[in-house]
Each structure stands twice: as C-alpha cells, then as structure tokens.
C-alpha cells in the first residue's frame, strides 16, 4: 500500500467504513449508493449479478431471508493497487457474523476476503466490481506463501 497516497488510503477507508455501517444497518440503499450504476458483483457462492438494480435486489433478498442480523467488521485492508485511469484494486478482510443458510445449516462466524475495483467518482471512489470469498481457515493454515 506504500505506492498510494494517504489521500487515496483515506478515500478507500471511507468507502469501506460506509459499507460496514450500511451492512450493519441492513441499509441496501446506503450500501449501493457506494456503487457505480454498471457494477458487477460475485457473491460468496459464485452468483454473478450485473448492474446496480440487480446487485441491490439480490442483496436485499438475501438480507430479508438470511443476513438481517449478520454483522460485519473491517479487519484489515490487505492491499490497494493502482490501475490506469485512477482506479484501484482493493483486497480487504472482514469478520462476519454467522447465519443460517437456506438449507438450514448454520454458517458460523468467520472471515471473508473481498476484492473490489474502486473507480473515481467526483472527489470520492465508487465500487465498480466486487467479489466476496469466505476464508477457509483450515486451508489458510497451509497457505504455501505464508509458511
């Protein structure tokens, strides 16, 4: 993250803190005001949604069914990598509360790793692409890069 300015780091943090607040309030309107109109999103089970209307509708359905009381807490910003045109690829880790899946099986609290593409929008940044992956802690313990 040393290649990016303190101003950029602050803008990234601001987006993430607004995301966290919106998630914890189950406020899909506030969450998706952080996104571009043509956002793409890949969720934790590989569903791919295109455009803000689809992304917001899908998240609202899952919040209504599963995530209403599921909390998230920003754990770490792992990287901020600049792209041409003022965009950034950002990788973050979240602490996520548990929830009951549609099949009735409980997913316990855990950590997720999210990759985001943030693009300039006025003086701020907006989410143009997101992908969220639950971290398999057993597999993470055998990460060949961290051994």
């Amino acid at each position: 993250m040393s290649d990016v300015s303190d101003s950029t780091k602050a803008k990234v943090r601001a987006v993430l803190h607004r995301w966290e607040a919106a998630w914890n309030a189950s406020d899909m309107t506030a969450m998706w005001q952080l996104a571009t109109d043509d956002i793409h999103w890949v969720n934790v089970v590989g569903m791919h949604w295109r455009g803000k209307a689809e992304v917001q509708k899908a998240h609202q359905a899952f919040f209504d069914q599963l995530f209403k009381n599921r909390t998230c807490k920003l754990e770490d910003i792992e990287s901020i990598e600049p792209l041409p045109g003022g965009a950034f690829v950002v990788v973050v880790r979240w602490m996520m509360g548990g929830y009951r899946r549609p099949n009735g099986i409980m997913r316990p609290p855990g950590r997720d790793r999210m990759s985001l593409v943030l693009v300039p929008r006025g003086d701020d940044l907006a989410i143009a692409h997101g992908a969220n992956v639950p971290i398999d802690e057993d597999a993470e313990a055998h990460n060949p890069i961290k051994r």
Side-chain angles (χ1 to χ4, degrees):
M1 282 197 307
S2 59
D3 292 359
V4 298
S5 69
D6 288 342
S7 170
T8 295
K9 291 176 187 175
K11 288 179 184 182
V12 169
R13 273 192 222 89
V15 169
L16 297 172
H17 287 300
R18 288 194 304 263
W19 171 275
E20 181 179 5
W23 177 285
N24 289 329
S26 299
D27 186 345
M28 297 301 100
T29 301
M31 189 180 314
W32 299 111
Q33 286 175 345
L34 299 169
T36 61
D37 289 339
D38 59 352
I39 185 173
H40 281 238
W41 194 268
V42 178
N43 80 345
V44 296
V45 293
M47 295 176 189
H48 180 196
W49 305 312
R50 297 164 183 88
K52 189 185 293 190
E54 266 189 25
V55 172
Q56 185 169 342
K57 179 180 179 180
H59 275 84
Q60 186 67 60
F62 283 123
F63 266 82
D64 290 346
Q65 296 170 22
L66 310 170
F67 299 153
K68 195 166 280 193
N69 297 311
R70 185 180 193 215
T71 58
C72 79
K73 175 80 175 132
L74 181 63
E75 184 178 66
D76 189 28
I77 300 171
E78 293 182 343
S79 63
I80 303 173
E81 299 298 326
L83 295 173
F88 299 91
V89 172
V90 179
V91 178
V92 300
R93 253 189 353 258
W94 299 98
M95 292 298 301
M96 302 298 295
Y99 69 95
R100 188 166 306 283
R101 296 176 181 152
N103 63 6
I105 296 173
M106 189 69 186
R107 177 174 182 228
R111 298 184 312 157
D112 285 10
R113 184 167 280 121
M114 184 183 288
S115 295
L116 299 166
V117 175
L118 302 180
V119 298
R121 182 168 67 187
D123 290 334
D124 293 320
L125 295 170
I127 303 168
H129 181 3
N132 194 25
V133 179
I135 297 172
D136 179 328
E137 297 294 348
D138 292 333
E140 185 74 11
H142 302 283
N143 183 338
I145 303 304
K146 295 188 176 185
R147 281 197 220 175

